[in-house]
Amino acid sequence: MAGPVTEVAHRVNYSETDQMGVVYHARYLVWLDVARCEHLRTTGLSYRELEAVGYRLAVSEANLRYRQPARYDDPLRIRCWVRDAVARRVTFGYAVEHLEGRLLATATVALLCLDTGFRLSRLPADLLGRLDPTSDPVRL
Amino acid sequence: MAGPVTEVAHRVNYSETDQMGVVYHARYLVWLDVARCEHLRTTGLSYRELEAVGYRLAVSEANLRYRQPARYDDPLRIRCWVRDAVARRVTFGYAVEHLEGRLLATATVALLCLDTGFRLSRLPADLLGRLDPTSDPVRL
Amino acid sequence: MAGPVTEVAHRVNYSETDQMGVVYHARYLVWLDVARCEHLRTTGLSYRELEAVGYRLAVSEANLRYRQPARYDDPLRIRCWVRDAVARRVTFGYAVEHLEGRLLATATVALLCLDTGFRLSRLPADLLGRLDPTSDPVRL
Amino acid sequence: MAGPVTEVAHRVNYSETDQMGVVYHARYLVWLDVARCEHLRTTGLSYRELEAVGYRLAVSEANLRYRQPARYDDPLRIRCWVRDAVARRVTFGYAVEHLEGRLLATATVALLCLDTGFRLSRLPADLLGRLDPTSDPVRL
């Protein structure tokens, strides 16, 4: 249970804000997606390559807890790690943090492996072997 | 436990799709937001009016289960109801369905009541009185 | 030059606003897309059907003039018409109006017809025959 | 006419694609916004600071030409420069390029300076003095 944690940086842009003056809640899912793809890339098999060989990872569940608002121009760090990977399903954990350290949000996202016909499929063995789970580095 | 269930219609547009040929998972949160605002409107106090008198409802938690994909041009129905409303917090339940009846996704979203200074605040009494909870009409 | 003008209704939702308290400028392109698809549908050949028979319409040019801001919960009307349709290219005109009548934005969008291999292609003859151009009903 | 050209890097994420397998045309406007904000930052007055002292820059016109599609995971470079800056209005030019060099899109965006009451306002003199125009480095 000591798999890697991937970090990506993001600066909040204007399109992500809403008239409350904070980041609109749906935008976080995009950041999580970006962090997840970078995590896959670091395992040696990018999501683009995974699609090229006939697999899809489809989100089956997403759970987000918003703790403090993110604001325009805030420099953020999104951390991503594998919580669990079994035959047909992988679950990721996430922490969204202000660069100064405040925890803004946490999340988990579960994805199912599909083939190009959208049928449930086993994760390719070489990918599954690289998805080392780790204990949550923050409380979700 | 027999509060109202609000329905809104939506036809999937091209901007909501991704290269997997289905609706991108973050878009559902926007549909839930639209359904929630229509639900508030039917109680007699729209979200626009709520903001005008100094309140904000900020999403503190969102939990989504994606069951079947939605596709471009699909006609959808999003149903929304109150699951629970207490002093400073209201939780909504949702079902996203194809007009032909298939259940595509379910969700719950919790919102906290804030004042204009982003301080936790009690829901205005007249709003709280109108937020009648109902039992989930579908299994979430 | 008396082709049809299609109207679609839209109520501004919260995800479309930004921290300036108005609709973020990129969102208008989505409304135009929705209006364009409804226009195609009224000609008798929907964009979904067009894709099903192997064609794509790819945006090659977009020109927008923002005249007055749209705001959260505003009821809007988007009007769309064909300005010009030739062998491989069709250009649409648009007006975005508040239901009370104020003109908020105007636009033109040109699209190229592609085949599934992204090669420039002639518009199918039956579609081209239905794309009756009309004179601009508002000054663009 | 030898003002600076700012470059920002961006890798296309999945949320930006559509079912045509390319980036949806509205997303480019967000990239232009990010590049414009970085350009302002390099002049010494960020857009966040500009808002903090009571100004808004509202998009009044956007013109985009899409030349080649951008695809998922493509590494991009967005270049931004000032074309023209007068009392109440500044116009930017943009080029969106694949890191390997292909030109994907060009654009111009005009913004009006507003005060917090959305009244047309002169650009602050210190900002105007820093908005050095430059000749277009690519043909728009």
Side-chain angles (χ1 to χ4, degrees), chain A:
Chain A
M1 290 294 279
V5 176
T6 298
E7 286 189 22
V8 300
H10 178 72
R11 188 186 282 276
V12 175
N13 68 57
Y14 215 82
S15 80
E16 296 171 327
T17 64
D18 64 22
Q19 77 172 27
M20 218 180 280
V22 300
V23 172
Y24 185 72
H25 61 283
R27 317 289 179 221
Y28 289 69
L29 281 170
V30 177
W31 304 341
L32 306 187
D33 187 341
V34 170
R36 181 168 66 243
C37 287
E38 288 310 310
H39 189 81
L40 288 177
R41 196 188 312 280
T42 66
T43 68
L45 185 63
S46 74
Y47 185 70
R48 170 140 73 167
E49 292 164 327
L50 200 62
E51 282 209 346
V53 294
Y55 295 96
R56 305 284 177 270
L57 293 178
V59 173
S60 62
E61 204 174 318
N63 302 289
L64 301 107
R65 292 191 58 191
Y66 302 90
R67 294 151 188 276
Q68 289 189 46
R71 293 175 189 278
Y72 171 62
D73 218 35
D74 277 354
L76 305 181
R77 170 177 53 226
I78 299 102
R79 291 196 284 160
C80 172
W81 61 94
V82 173
R83 298 191 86 203
D84 187 53
V86 290
R88 294 174 176 79
R89 180 183 157 118
V90 51
T91 305
F92 292 89
Y94 305 87
V96 177
E97 296 157 313
H98 193 284
L99 262 199
E100 287 167 2
R102 280 175 292 124
L103 181 64
L104 306 183
T106 52
T108 62
V109 173
L111 299 107
L112 296 176
C113 188
L114 306 178
D115 63 20
T116 51
F118 280 85
R119 283 175 297 264
L120 206 56
S121 170
R122 298 182 75 85
L123 286 159
D126 58 338
L127 176 61
L128 189 52
R130 301 173 200 200
L131 294 174
D132 291 331
T134 194
S135 305
D136 296 329
V138 298
R139 197 167 154 197
L140 299 192

Side-chain angles (χ1 to χ4, degrees), chain D residues 20-93:
Chain D
M20 218 179 283
V22 300
V23 173
Y24 186 72
H25 61 283
R27 317 289 179 221
Y28 289 69
L29 282 170
V30 177
W31 303 341
L32 306 186
D33 187 340
V34 170
R36 180 167 67 243
C37 287
E38 288 310 311
H39 189 81
L40 289 176
R41 196 188 311 280
T42 65
T43 68
L45 185 64
S46 75
Y47 184 71
R48 169 140 74 167
E49 292 164 327
L50 200 62
E51 281 209 348
V53 295
Y55 295 95
R56 304 284 177 271
L57 293 178
V59 173
S60 63
E61 205 174 316
N63 302 290
L64 301 107
R65 291 192 61 192
Y66 303 89
R67 293 154 189 275
Q68 288 188 47
R71 292 174 189 278
Y72 171 61
D73 219 37
D74 278 354
L76 306 181
R77 169 178 53 224
I78 300 102
R79 291 196 284 160
C80 172
W81 60 95
V82 173
R83 299 191 86 202
D84 186 56
V86 291
R88 294 173 176 80
R89 179 183 159 118
V90 50
T91 305
F92 292 89

